[in-house]
Amino acid sequence: MKITLSEIWNFSELISSEEQGWSYKLVAGSVVVADISQQVLLSLKGDAEYDTELLPSIFTFREILWQPDVFTESVKSLPGLRILKAHCEDIIATYEEGGLETQLLYSALLRGLAACSEEAIASLESESVSVKKALGEFRTAAFPIVKFFIFHPQNRIDYYKDAVNRLNYAVKIMLTQFHGKYTELSDPYWEVIYSQPDKEPKSPRKAVGEKEKS
């Protein structure tokens, strides 16, 4: 069952913390984080360790993700992509050192954003490249990852509003100037999985032909 970012919190409140068998999968474009427990999901909602400066640092301040005509040449686009990639890798290293499950989930998403940047860098460094096409593909791939962080419940409201305005502007630019298609923009979502827990441990099966010991 698929649930949107905004609806997942209401859904999670319907499930008792003692109820077993529930798990979640986060899908943000090409990034998929599976086997997320109910406890980790609830930790995301009230994450006291969430860095509210994360959203502006990976999106709002990164003009390469939303500006229309500043980056018309490869040489002007590459620095912004390299800085974003390096910034994501620095945060990933910090989060993985901390080892919190919420931060490890953020790391998986940031690793996807760094990979988008790396692909765009490789594309722009190749010969006869269309800058607008390369940046359009980069922004399309980054869209669901960025959107996850925009709708994180622990964001500052002013940062959230600013990011939403820029994202809407970015979508318009992608569709009108960067060869994008609306159908290519995928929203991140949660997939809810329920597996009936075993009430009693199963006894191991004997191998075929095994004889009882006397």
Side-chain angles (χ1 to χ4, degrees):
M1 177 171 57
K2 294 181 180 180
I3 297 183
T4 65
L5 294 184
S6 60
E7 295 174 338
I8 189 64
W9 311 119
N10 290 334
F11 178 86
S12 65
E13 291 176 357
L14 301 175
I15 301 173
S16 169
S17 58
E18 290 79 21
E19 190 172 350
Q20 302 297 311
W22 294 95
S23 65
Y24 303 86
K25 180 191 295 184
L26 175 63
V27 180
S30 62
V31 179
V32 178
V33 185
D35 298 323
I36 301 171
S37 67
Q38 173 78 358
Q39 182 179 4
V40 172
L41 178 68
L42 294 177
S43 296
L44 286 173
K45 184 179 181 181
D47 186 4
E49 300 296 323
Y50 180 74
D51 181 5
T52 57
E53 297 300 318
L54 178 59
L55 175 59
S57 76
I58 64 170
F59 177 64
T60 312
F61 299 156
R62 305 300 170 188
E63 294 181 339
I64 192 71
L65 276 164
W66 52 268
Q67 277 282 22
D69 52 8
V70 173
F71 307 99
T72 56
E73 301 173 8
S74 296
V75 68
K76 294 181 179 179
S77 302
L78 287 169
L81 289 166
R82 289 171 178 150
I83 291 171
L84 176 58
K85 177 176 178 291
H87 181 65
C88 288
E89 291 171 344
D90 286 344
I91 300 174
I92 291 167
T94 300
Y95 284 174
E96 292 186 341
E97 184 178 349
L100 296 176
E101 289 190 85
T102 51
Q103 293 182 341
L104 294 178
L105 186 149
Y106 304 149
S107 293
L109 293 162
L110 292 172
R111 193 174 291 109
L113 186 56
C116 294
S117 303
E118 186 173 10
E119 290 179 12
I121 290 169
S123 180
L124 290 173
E125 287 178 338
S126 64
E127 297 181 359
S128 302
V129 64
S130 165
V131 177
K132 288 192 173 183
K133 184 175 185 299
L135 291 182
E137 292 174 351
F138 161 67
R139 294 178 179 189
T140 299
F143 177 84
I145 301 171
V146 168
K147 197 164 185 179
F148 170 86
F149 286 108
I150 289 177
F151 286 92
H152 193 290
Q154 290 299 313
N155 277 323
R156 281 176 41 173
I157 188 65
D158 54 335
Y159 286 177
Y160 162 77
K161 290 181 177 179
D162 189 14
V164 167
N165 289 335
R166 293 183 193 276
L167 183 70
N168 291 336
Y169 181 65
V171 170
K172 178 182 177 180
I173 296 302
M174 288 165 59
L175 300 179
T176 58
Q177 298 186 31
F178 286 89
H179 307 283
K181 297 179 181 178
Y182 189 78
T183 54
E184 295 174 343
L185 299 176
S186 60
D187 284 328
Y189 63 88
W190 291 91
E191 185 174 331
V192 182
I193 302 164
Y194 179 75
S195 300
Q196 183 68 43
D198 294 330
K199 295 183 179 180
E200 296 180 0
K202 295 180 180 178
S203 58
R205 294 183 178 179
K206 295 179 180 179
V208 175
E210 181 180 358
K211 296 181 179 180
E212 292 286 344
K213 293 183 180 179
S214 57

